[in-house]
Amino acid sequence: MSPDQDADDPSAPPATPTVTPKAAYHHGDLRAQLIAAVRELVETHGPDGFSVAEAARRAGVSSAAPYKHFKDRPEILRGVVSEAMDRLRAAMEAGAAAHPRASLEAVAAVGLAYVEFARGEPGVFRLVFGLTEGHENAPDLLAKGEGCFGVVVQAVAACLGLLPGDPDVQRRAYMLWSFVHGHSFLTIDMKHKVASAEIDDWDYLMRISRAMLAPAAQA
Amino acid sequence: MSPDQDADDPSAPPATPTVTPKAAYHHGDLRAQLIAAVRELVETHGPDGFSVAEAARRAGVSSAAPYKHFKDRPEILRGVVSEAMDRLRAAMEAGAAAHPRASLEAVAAVGLAYVEFARGEPGVFRLVFGLTEGHENAPDLLAKGEGCFGVVVQAVAACLGLLPGDPDVQRRAYMLWSFVHGHSFLTIDMKHKVASAEIDDWDYLMRISRAMLAPAAQA
DNA sequence: TGACGAAAGTTAGCACCTCTCACATATGTT
DNA sequence: AACATATGTGAGAGGTGCTAACTTTCGTCA
């Protein structure tokens, strides 16, 4: 079995009593070091411009060592994506927490965290949402995606004074998300100068949030 | 002799010669055939799951032949992207042309063409907007991206009765585009069930277009 | 027409990459 | 101390990107 994905789970793990912090036998948590190396490579050389061999080289191990921790090349990428999604979600939650609950600012802050993540780590961001072969066999990644969406839903629901399960909330949250997602992508792609230069993100997001949460948006 | 023979491509892409149709010496427009093969591979095996060797194999030539037509592996991908952007733009223009000028429907139709392209060729769509190394040395791709954006701008300008150069038009067009772009990506990623199942695209796009073209969106 | 040069294909081959296998070494448990 | 297991290494098979050198086809022009 080899519990691969045990990060720092605050929730008490009942199944595995032994492995709590990390695996540090020979090398000292090679797994995390590999993920860090791959993240760096993806960021500098593009999503497909990395190699397992190069990551191993950077970690100071042989080119076969990574396969003791990951089954595949894709599995390493999935590891990077998983870790990145944790950080993305944390950033979104922090954004929301920096403003009063049930405020338009909280909603906009969630979106801003999203955009800033994309701008800060464009390669990883692209990897997260460009992964196709990983998602099929990776329900945990799907779950984390749902978790991120949940943050948006929470903020929207609070702002509207409705329950998160409300279809209207879901719909508005989805619209908001697709907006922010598209803006993020266009920004890092620099597909148009407007994206990177002439747009004040906060203004933009506040305007969008207001429009999407207005009663008229339901129609 | 006109080399307009469709070799083995009964599928979507209509006659769109990517570049000079001058290459028909031995094989018969190997360049176009390679691009078609790569497009197919990208669509089935994912953006990074293709190889020049496999494409050459499918085209029935040796693995070195592609390098007579393309300098690099990335250049082949750029060829596919270029051809795809031509088709995307054509689809967007056709969408707009199917409705009266200066109508909300024309704007929504441009977006619908975009979404349908993404749904129809998710792999290629992802490739188009996931290409990083190609864009630096490829001003033609950037120009084509601008061209696609121009279609949106045209529709929006006509609908608002303003000039395409108007910053307000540019801004609204960008907002619309980011919305459509994000929706397309989320749809093909199936990041959330709402995206693929519970959304009527036309309704969605009409609502978005109306919201983005309303005077209030300017604020 | 025939010679020539360029275009478009071939094989051979190097360097690199992914991934596996057999083997070596550290670690915790009994 | 002995064992089973987790974690490392090196060798190597097979695939891939790309280049070099050679061969074949085609258009052109004296």
Side-chain angles (χ1 to χ4, degrees):
Chain A
M1 316 158 196
S2 84
D4 285 14
Q5 76 290 12
D6 57 331
D8 294 359
D9 254 41
S11 54
T16 63
T18 63
V19 47
T20 17
K22 310 177 168 180
Y25 288 75
H26 297 63
H27 180 275
D29 206 5
L30 175 59
R31 186 189 156 90
Q33 217 160 319
L34 281 174
I35 286 186
V38 170
R39 183 180 51 215
E40 206 174 317
L41 283 171
V42 164
E43 203 52 56
T44 55
H45 295 67
D48 45 342
F50 101 100
S51 67
V52 177
E54 176 66 21
R57 221 170 286 131
R58 292 206 178 189
V61 294
S62 78
S63 67
Y67 296 93
K68 296 292 177 177
H69 295 267
F70 302 92
K71 173 177 143 289
D72 263 18
R73 187 180 192 273
E75 186 167 306
I76 303 187
L77 286 177
R78 259 177 275 151
V80 174
V81 167
S82 176
E83 184 256 13
M85 284 180 116
D86 289 340
R87 298 208 320 278
L88 173 57
R89 172 164 186 174
M92 292 168 77
E93 283 172 341
H99 295 269
R101 265 181 62 87
S103 71
L104 215 62
E105 281 80 6
V107 174
V110 171
L112 186 64
Y114 202 87
V115 175
E116 281 176 346
F117 185 94
R119 251 201 255 285
E121 311 183 44
V124 172
F125 182 80
R126 227 190 293 269
L127 181 67
V128 168
F129 293 99
L131 213 58
T132 35
E133 57 273 357
H135 283 300
E136 300 136 9
N137 315 334
D140 58 324
L141 291 188
L142 273 182
K144 289 191 182 188
E146 293 288 331
C148 286
F149 183 60
V151 177
V152 184
V153 170
Q154 287 287 345
V156 169
C159 198
L160 289 179
L162 298 173
L163 291 178
D166 191 310
D168 190 32
V169 169
Q170 295 272 330
R171 172 123 49 128
R172 288 170 193 261
Y174 175 76
M175 292 168 80
L176 252 164
W177 199 17
S178 68
F179 219 121
V180 171
H181 192 66
H183 176 48
S184 301
F185 256 106
L186 291 179
T187 292
I188 65 179
D189 277 339
M190 290 185 301
K191 271 287 186 286
H192 196 256
K193 337 134 194 140
V194 176
S196 51
E198 306 178 20
I199 286 219
D200 176 350
D201 280 323
W202 182 252
D203 245 37
Y204 182 71
L205 288 165
M206 280 297 287
R207 203 168 334 128
I208 293 307
S209 302
R210 198 176 297 117
M212 288 306 104
L213 298 191
Q218 161 66 358
Chain B
M1 52 205 67
S2 58
D4 266 348
Q5 50 193 351
D6 309 36
D8 52 345
D9 205 359
S11 61
T16 311
T18 51
V19 268
T20 65
K22 161 187 181 83
Y25 286 76
H26 296 62
H27 182 277
D29 207 5
L30 175 60
R31 185 188 156 92
Q33 217 159 320
L34 281 173
I35 287 186
V38 169
R39 182 182 52 216
E40 207 174 315
L41 283 170
V42 163
E43 204 52 56
T44 55
H45 295 70
D48 46 342
F50 102 101
S51 67
V52 178
E54 176 66 20
R57 221 169 287 130
R58 293 207 177 189
V61 295
S62 77
S63 66
Y67 295 96
K68 298 291 176 178
H69 294 268
F70 302 93
K71 173 176 143 286
D72 263 13
R73 187 182 193 273
E75 186 168 307
I76 302 186
L77 286 177
R78 258 177 277 149
V80 174
V81 168
S82 176
E83 183 257 13
M85 283 180 116
D86 289 340
R87 298 206 323 275
L88 174 57
R89 171 162 186 175
M92 292 168 75
E93 283 171 342
H99 295 268
R101 265 182 61 88
S103 71
L104 214 62
E105 280 80 6
V107 174
V110 171
L112 185 64
Y114 201 87
V115 175
E116 281 175 346
F117 185 92
R119 251 202 256 284
E121 310 183 45
V124 172
F125 183 79
R126 229 191 291 270
L127 181 68
V128 168
F129 293 99
L131 213 59
T132 35
E133 58 271 359
H135 282 301
E136 301 135 7
N137 315 336
D140 59 326
L141 291 188
L142 273 183
K144 290 191 180 186
E146 293 288 331
C148 286
F149 183 61
V151 177
V152 183
V153 170
Q154 288 287 344
V156 170
C159 197
L160 290 179
L162 298 173
L163 290 178
D166 190 310
D168 190 31
V169 169
Q170 294 273 330
R171 172 122 52 127
R172 289 171 195 260
Y174 175 75
M175 291 168 81
L176 253 165
W177 199 19
S178 68
F179 221 120
V180 171
H181 192 66
H183 176 48
S184 301
F185 255 107
L186 292 179
T187 292
I188 64 179
D189 277 341
M190 290 184 300
K191 271 290 187 284
H192 197 257
K193 336 134 201 152
V194 177
S196 50
E198 306 179 20
I199 287 218
D200 175 351
D201 280 324
W202 181 253
D203 245 37
Y204 182 72
L205 288 164
M206 280 297 287
R207 204 170 330 133
I208 292 308
S209 302
R210 198 177 296 119
M212 287 306 103
L213 298 190
Q218 162 66 2

